[in-house]
Amino acid sequence: MRKKLRIGIMGGTFDPIHYGHLVTAEEALVQFNLDKVVFMPTGNPVRKTHRKVTPAEHRYLMTVIATASNPDFEVSRMEVDRPGPTYTVDTMLALRQELGPDADLYFITGADAVWEILTWKDSEALAGVCSFIAATRPGYDLSRFSRDDAERMRVEFMEVPALAISSTDIRRRVAERRPIRYLLPEAVAAYVRKNGLYASEA
Ligand code: NAP
């Protein structure tokens, strides 16, 4: 009998992608015995009205650069190419349709985003389509997740100390001309410099 594929879908804005994201994906790959992790940069993230998100093409290219050397990582353009606001439910239903029942899907992202997705009005459509891997920083308070909801929606939690690194901090550092070396791959830092990204971040 053919083995069922176990595929991680790593959702994020990746503005910019950093070592915390890469460590999260590698940790999920090993802990959950996944065959591969597909990074899925968001096209037009919902609820990001408080700041201007970097154009999707830049975020997609930085993700490709950061993951290029890892044979277990891929990057998808699905959300970047889909017009309108990006909803996880649309992505996971499209992947389920594309892959059929012969793959187990794990949506990996930060725990706050998982909570938002599960409380979104269309989340019921996701039940049974995929499991969730919610990455947390050390000390993260999990009390907002009820045990029943976590079980029903198949949410697993994974603590990732490297998530002390954050995209917000990196953007602020660039704007303030403080160092970002060792927080993200050097080639991504070079891309940020070359394209003048985050220079005017408030
Ligand atoms: P966010 O709200 O900007 O991030 C929440 C927290 O999670 C931040 O601390 C963030 O750190 C961290 N994080 C984000 N992506 C991560 C990842 N892949 N691995 C580990 N930590 C991560 O989150 P977002 O980027 O907008 O959304 C994350 C994913 O959830 C995206 O795929 C998005 O489309 C989806 N989402 C869907 C809905 C919906 O369908 N209704 C709602 C919200 C989010 P950094 O800032 O350092 O990344």
Side-chain angles (χ1 to χ4, degrees):
M1 203 174 75
R2 213 173 67 205
K3 178 181 161 273
K4 239 184 171 190
L5 274 182
R6 296 165 65 83
I7 304 176
I9 308 298
M10 176 76 170
T13 307
F14 304 131
D15 195 11
I17 189 164
H18 54 65
Y19 281 129
H21 299 129
L22 296 168
V23 170
T24 300
E26 182 71 12
E27 195 64 33
L29 185 83
V30 174
Q31 270 196 38
F32 294 88
N33 199 19
L34 305 178
D35 292 290
K36 64 177 171 179
V37 174
V38 181
F39 283 68
M40 183 68 71
T42 56
N44 304 294
V46 282
R47 300 192 203 166
K48 285 243 185 306
T49 46
H50 58 290
R51 74 172 183 92
K52 210 166 141 243
V53 175
T54 304
E57 208 58 43
H58 279 315
R59 295 183 288 101
Y60 168 77
L61 285 174
M62 289 190 282
T63 307
V64 169
I65 291 168
T67 54
S69 63
N70 189 326
D72 298 321
F73 290 173
E74 291 175 12
V75 186
S76 169
R77 290 190 61 92
M78 182 183 275
E79 291 189 350
V80 168
D81 290 341
R82 192 168 66 221
T86 303
Y87 292 110
T88 300
V89 66
D90 297 337
T91 305
M92 298 316 283
L93 290 175
L95 286 172
R96 174 55 72 207
Q97 196 158 32
E98 188 181 310
L99 297 165
D102 286 341
D104 285 333
L105 298 176
Y106 294 79
F107 188 74
I108 311 161
T109 195
D112 285 344
V114 169
W115 189 82
E116 265 191 54
I117 294 164
L118 299 186
T119 50
W120 180 248
K121 61 181 168 58
D122 290 334
S123 74
E124 286 310 314
L126 274 169
V129 173
C130 62
S131 307
F132 291 86
I133 300 176
T136 61
R137 301 184 158 98
Y140 184 89
D141 178 12
L142 288 176
S143 59
R144 72 201 309 202
F145 289 89
S146 83
R147 187 189 285 249
D148 284 355
D149 283 349
E151 265 174 29
R152 186 173 52 86
M153 298 302 289
R154 297 185 291 166
V155 183
E156 304 272 4
F157 296 92
M158 187 177 74
E159 190 174 280
V160 182
L163 281 177
I165 300 172
S166 90
S167 300
T168 308
D169 178 51
I170 292 173
R171 293 194 302 272
R172 199 175 297 136
R173 281 170 169 272
V174 173
E176 294 171 357
R177 296 171 185 269
R178 287 155 62 212
I180 57 169
R181 185 181 276 175
Y182 308 129
L183 299 175
L184 72 178
E186 181 48 37
V188 176
Y191 185 97
V192 168
R193 279 193 298 275
K194 180 176 170 181
N195 292 282
L197 305 183
Y198 315 128
S200 60
E201 189 84 7

